[in-house]
Amino acid sequence: MKSTVVLGLLGSVLDAGAGAGRWDRWRPSVGLCQQESLLIHRFELLHPPAHATLARAVASDLSTVSPETEVRLHPIDLRDPWDFEEVYGALHEFARAYAFDPEREDYLIHITTARTSSRSAYSCSPSRTTFPGSSWQTSPPRKREPGIAGHYSVIDLDLSRYDRIASRFRLEEREGISFLKGGIDTANPTLQPPDRAQSSRSPSPPRKPSS
């Protein structure tokens, strides 16, 4: 049986909490380990260095609710969690250095409905290469529902949809260039659509042999 490994990004607001009252509110990282139907063997918790104290507190709470879960903390270079480019770059660098072992471990990429930038970055990453696992989304418990573990669900990333979007953008780019040219063909490759620029170039004439 494979081990279940969670890779999650610390929520500086949602995961925060101090005192006994923290157990009365939903915290996504802790709530995931409170799921009775899910056994997590290891939790890789990514966090900005500025939130190291919170990360240690959450790691301690994870060990409390799920003693069988090993928690590992990973500081990542992330200053602005709302900056898509920065989040994507930090996650990509972490994934490149991480020793994935899909033969022995199943990986769950943990995101929440409130982590907009991290969700977008995870979604745009090639899930089977950069992150060889499935994306799991957690959400808080519904009103008047007992317990604070909340809910989780698997997100199906159909990457073919991104291919269709990219194809549409390429088509619009070709149409825009054609409009700027007024429909006039030109031999200048910089004024041609990318797919025609290569084909329109004439082969270079053979060089005259030196005497």
Side-chain angles (χ1 to χ4, degrees):
M1 181 179 297
K2 292 184 179 181
S3 299
T4 299
V5 180
V6 170
L7 292 90
L9 189 63
L10 178 73
S12 59
V13 176
L14 291 179
D15 282 328
R22 72 187 186 279
W23 297 109
D24 298 328
R25 56 185 295 268
W26 175 72
R27 291 178 292 163
S29 296
V30 178
L32 188 61
C33 287
Q34 291 176 311
Q35 302 292 332
E36 296 182 359
S37 60
L38 181 61
L39 174 60
I40 299 174
H41 298 91
R42 192 168 73 251
F43 199 120
E44 309 282 9
L45 187 61
L46 286 62
H47 66 89
H51 297 143
T53 301
L54 174 59
R56 289 192 295 269
V58 171
S60 177
D61 288 346
L62 290 174
S63 299
T64 298
V65 300
S66 182
E68 63 273 21
T69 301
E70 177 190 1
V71 183
R72 296 180 181 177
L73 300 181
H74 299 274
I76 60 174
D77 186 15
L78 182 62
R79 294 178 297 275
D80 184 2
W82 296 101
D83 187 317
F84 176 87
E85 181 179 0
E86 187 176 353
V87 173
Y88 185 95
L91 294 176
H92 184 71
E93 288 300 318
F94 171 81
R96 289 183 59 186
Y98 189 82
F100 289 102
D101 188 3
E103 297 295 325
R104 298 182 179 181
E105 299 177 335
D106 286 328
Y107 300 98
L108 311 181
I109 314 302
H110 178 219
I111 60 180
T112 75
T113 54
R115 295 171 181 166
T116 307
S117 293
S118 60
R119 177 174 182 174
S120 300
Y122 278 135
S123 299
C124 291
S125 298
S127 59
R128 297 303 177 187
T129 54
T130 305
F131 289 99
S134 57
S135 295
W136 287 50
Q137 176 175 297
T138 55
S139 56
R142 302 178 182 91
K143 291 183 178 180
R144 300 180 181 179
E145 186 177 35
I148 58 172
H151 306 273
Y152 69 89
S153 60
V154 180
I155 300 176
D156 180 18
L157 292 180
D158 183 1
L159 298 183
S160 64
R161 290 184 294 180
Y162 296 103
D163 293 336
R164 290 195 294 269
I165 293 175
S167 298
R168 188 184 70 187
F169 287 161
R170 286 193 294 267
L171 176 61
E172 292 179 355
E173 180 186 19
R174 289 194 296 267
E175 292 175 346
I177 293 176
S178 177
F179 173 78
L180 291 174
K181 293 192 312 175
I184 302 175
D185 289 333
T186 176
N188 187 343
T190 62
L191 297 178
Q192 291 187 356
D195 57 345
R196 294 187 56 191
Q198 294 292 336
S199 60
S200 63
R201 294 177 182 173
S202 301
S204 302
R207 298 181 60 182
K208 182 179 179 181
S210 58
S211 54

